[in-house]
Amino acid sequence: MVVRIVDEPTIAQMRRNENGGDVNALDWSWLDTSIQAVGRSLHVGGTTKTIREYLEKRMSVSCYIPTTPVFNTGTLMKPSVRQEKQCEQRLPSAVIAGVKKCGSGPLFKFLKIHPEIVGPPGDLKYFDGLHNLSDTKWYIDRMPYSTKKQVVLDKEVTAFQSPHHAPQYIREILTPNVKIIFILCDPVERMLSEYFDVWAQRDEQTQSGQSTKNLATRFQDSVLERTQIKNTEERNNFLDKSNYIQHVIRWLEPFSSTNLHFVDGELFKTDPGSELQKIEQFLGIKLFFETDNFYYDPDRGYSCMKYPHPFCFSTRPQHPPLDEWVEERMCEFYKPFNEGLAIMLNRRFAWMDYC
Ligand SMILES: Nc1ncnc2c1ncn2[C@@H]1O[C@H](COP(=O)(O)OS(=O)(=O)O)[C@@H](OP(=O)(O)O)[C@H]1O
């Protein structure tokens, strides 16, 4: 699909609203600079989408004066407007609780583009087991201001597997009504991605006292021993995280299944718009994302954003391919767990067909 850049309407045109009057309910002076910074709109799938349209939508529900790039939070509105809009820093009402290396980063970033979703800029790791959980003030203080119409979203990827009681802690602090989102992907690919990441950072991790347990020079030496030995007490950092069923069980106990949503990591790579639409429904917010807001980049192996801001995550060096026998052994190991997961959740994921 061709993405054509066309000129943005003039500032004078922008200042007229549909009724021909001035748009003056709020201070619109911000728009000039924002639009000048963008200076264009996009023809996507036959329709013209302006950045202005997006910024206006966001502005109407937000406590911030939006800006470009649209990933930035923007400037906090003045106190009188904040009061009028009932802006507050609130605890999250939704959490992306994993899984690491399945696309949780892009998922979080894309979701925060939705006018009705706000979240902290990065990972707070409040539920990672190292934080004083009674210090909710610390947590709330790090949340952006939100209106009641908005969903406050946090990302806590380690919570998926540890600490063991993370689901209970999240339920207790964020109430049983909190919505939990997981993104699950091909377990072997996930493990490989994490392995190369940990390998690349091994010196820093050792220096900062973090564990590099199970890390060997070759991927297969880091994971294969476990699939041969009988001792199930022996934990392998890489293998265990990809064994989704054992972790998902922990979340089904404190939460109703209607509060848990699973994103298919494979579909998210090829068609993020459709996966994001399912999340909009799950969160009960207005539909904003469309499939043609994104395009698939075969060289990268995942999708980039077209609207409201053209954006691609930078590519990592390609992983060296796995030896066929290693892949077969890994698949053999995960197959029964994946089948169990499909039965437990009563759904199959696209990546389940790989093995
Ligand atoms: N749209 C889009 N853009 C970029 N990357 C995408 C996307 N969709 C899925 N992926 C895959 O996400 C992998 C990184 O996952 P995470 O963001 O969960 O990693 S992290 O845990 O936050 O480090 C990353 O894996 P690596 O390339 O191995 O890093 C990607 O394969």
Side-chain angles (χ1 to χ4, degrees):
M1 192 176 292
V2 182
V3 180
R4 199 152 57 83
I5 307 291
V6 297
D7 288 339
E8 190 71 20
T10 63
I11 300 295
Q13 282 169 324
M14 290 189 303
R15 284 195 176 280
R16 281 198 300 272
N17 70 7
E18 283 78 19
N19 305 320
D22 279 342
V23 184
N24 56 11
L26 293 165
D27 175 13
W28 287 90
S29 57
W30 60 275
L31 200 55
D32 298 2
T33 37
S34 292
I35 292 298
Q36 275 158 16
V38 180
R40 53 206 187 177
S41 61
L42 303 173
H43 263 312
V44 186
T47 46
T48 305
K49 295 179 180 199
T50 64
I51 308 294
R52 182 195 184 217
E53 232 169 69
Y54 168 74
L55 294 173
E56 280 182 348
K57 227 181 246 178
R58 179 137 211 136
M59 173 98 163
S60 66
V61 287
S62 175
C63 301
Y64 294 84
I65 297 167
T67 184
T68 54
V70 294
F71 303 106
N72 297 346
T73 317
T75 314
L76 195 55
M77 288 177 178
K78 52 189 179 191
S80 56
V81 181
R82 282 194 333 246
Q83 197 179 7
E84 194 185 309
K85 293 181 110 177
Q86 296 182 296
C87 292
E88 273 173 33
Q89 284 171 293
R90 299 175 161 88
L91 280 170
S93 48
V95 176
I96 297 174
V99 178
K100 196 173 163 58
K101 289 291 158 200
C102 276
S104 58
L107 180 66
F108 191 41
K109 192 148 182 164
F110 289 160
L111 279 174
K112 284 187 291 177
I113 295 282
H114 192 297
E116 290 174 35
I117 299 181
V118 287
D123 289 22
L124 297 175
K125 302 185 179 168
Y126 185 65
F127 292 99
D128 70 352
L130 302 172
H131 240 279
N132 171 11
L133 290 178
S134 57
D135 192 5
T136 46
K137 187 178 177 311
W138 182 95
Y139 194 35
I140 295 173
D141 281 351
R142 273 146 190 85
M143 291 299 152
Y145 280 79
S146 58
T147 57
K148 282 188 173 163
K149 284 183 185 164
Q150 290 180 305
V151 169
V152 181
L153 178 71
D154 184 22
K155 172 161 91 83
E156 296 280 335
V157 276
T158 59
F160 180 67
Q161 77 281 346
S162 72
H164 185 79
H165 293 296
Q168 278 81 7
Y169 297 149
I170 290 182
R171 183 194 148 101
E172 214 167 285
I173 293 167
L174 303 182
T175 82
N177 296 328
V178 65
K179 308 256 184 174
I180 312 284
I181 299 165
F182 303 98
I183 178 164
L184 304 183
C185 60
D186 174 38
V188 182
E189 212 177 291
R190 193 216 70 78
M191 202 168 39
L192 199 58
S193 171
E194 187 175 11
Y195 167 79
F196 283 109
D197 209 35
V198 174
W199 180 255
Q201 295 171 35
R202 64 193 181 283
D203 292 339
E204 281 166 44
Q205 296 209 339
T206 315
Q207 273 166 25
S208 66
Q210 288 179 55
S211 167
T212 48
K213 190 180 152 206
N214 306 119
L215 186 67
T217 315
R218 291 188 316 164
F219 170 72
Q220 54 259 50
D221 299 330
S222 303
V223 295
L224 270 181
E225 197 193 358
R226 165 77 187 276
T227 64
Q228 289 172 332
I229 57 172
K230 295 275 183 295
N231 180 6
T232 49
E233 291 308 307
E234 171 70 27
R235 312 283 298 186
N236 181 294
N237 285 338
F238 299 109
L239 275 181
D240 285 359
K241 234 172 272 171
S242 282
N243 187 348
Y244 303 138
I245 187 167
Q246 65 171 348
H247 303 298
V248 169
I249 284 173
R250 289 167 40 246
W251 291 88
L252 286 171
E253 203 198 305
F255 290 108
S256 145
S257 59
T258 53
N259 279 50
L260 307 180
H261 179 81
F262 295 86
V263 178
D264 188 317
E266 190 53 35
L267 299 183
F268 180 71
K269 276 186 187 175
T270 53
D271 182 10
S274 300
E275 287 305 292
L276 294 169
Q277 283 171 350
K278 291 174 202 160
I279 299 179
E280 289 169 334
Q281 282 170 7
F282 170 66
L283 296 176
I285 53 177
K286 280 200 187 123
L287 300 187
F288 165 75
F289 293 109
E290 292 177 41
T291 50
D292 66 12
N293 290 173
F294 302 89
Y295 67 96
Y296 180 69
D297 182 334
D299 294 331
R300 289 185 154 87
Y302 47 72
S303 298
C304 302
M305 183 180 265
K306 250 188 308 199
Y307 176 83
H309 187 93
F311 174 80
C312 273
F313 282 83
S314 54
T315 43
R316 288 170 174 275
Q318 285 285 308
H319 311 309
L322 275 188
D323 289 345
E324 216 172 296
W325 69 271
V326 180
E327 193 156 3
E328 270 170 25
R329 286 279 298 285
M330 295 282 91
C331 279
E332 221 175 89
F333 177 74
Y334 282 118
K335 207 168 178 78
F337 298 119
N338 290 345
E339 292 306 317
L341 183 72
I343 293 168
M344 195 168 81
L345 298 179
N346 194 23
R347 84 173 261 201
R348 291 195 73 78
F349 292 86
W351 46 264
M352 284 180 170
D353 298 335
Y354 285 175
C355 285

